[in-house]
Amino acid sequence: VQLQASGGGLVQAGDSLRLSCAGSGRTFSNYNMGWFRQAPGKERDFVSAISWSGGRTYYEDSVKGRFTISRDNAKNTVYLQMNSLKPEDTAVYYCAATRGSYSKITAYEYWGQGTLVTVSS
């Protein structure tokens, strides 16, 4: 699966952004999809994931109630709607695909190139 993330940008605290991750190649709908983020000088951390069917979603505690993950398998795309953004959300956001556990970064087989989200205070 080739993944292409987009939608990042510079916003102010409280604003919203929607990230998209378009997949191509192998059957996109076979994969659980995740979003991760990496702030400068920090490790890459889990943000959210969605099961292959879209029936189950998972969120890291700090984004619960603010971020919403969704997917459209007909369009081979997964989305991350980010509302009420905070400066601490500033990071490069990566999408990734796995047929395994959504919570283990090492389980993800394919990665997009990342899109930068910068939230100013």
Side-chain angles (χ1 to χ4, degrees), residues 11-28:
V11 297
Q12 293 186 332
D15 285 351
S16 299
L17 275 177
R18 188 176 79 158
L19 305 184
S20 299
C21 177
S24 61
R26 297 179 183 269
T27 306
F28 180 81

Side-chain angles (χ1 to χ4, degrees), residues 8-57:
L10 172 63
V11 297
Q12 293 186 332
D15 285 351
S16 299
L17 275 177
R18 188 176 79 158
L19 305 184
S20 299
C21 177
S24 61
R26 297 179 183 269
T27 306
F28 180 81
S29 60
N30 286 349
Y31 292 84
N32 301 320
M33 297 296 297
W35 285 97
F36 291 78
R37 64 186 178 187
Q38 188 167 17
K42 296 188 176 181
E43 295 184 348
R44 191 172 298 187
D45 292 327
F46 171 78
V47 175
S48 182
I50 188 167
S51 63
W52 63 272
S53 66
R56 291 173 293 169
T57 58

Side-chain angles (χ1 to χ4, degrees), residues 66-85:
R66 299 189 299 122
F67 290 11
T68 303
I69 191 170
S70 62
R71 68 188 297 163
D72 184 341
N73 285 339
K75 296 182 178 180
N76 288 353
T77 303
V78 63
Y79 305 97
L80 186 66
Q81 177 67 44
M82 306 186 295
N83 299 329
S84 302
L85 282 161

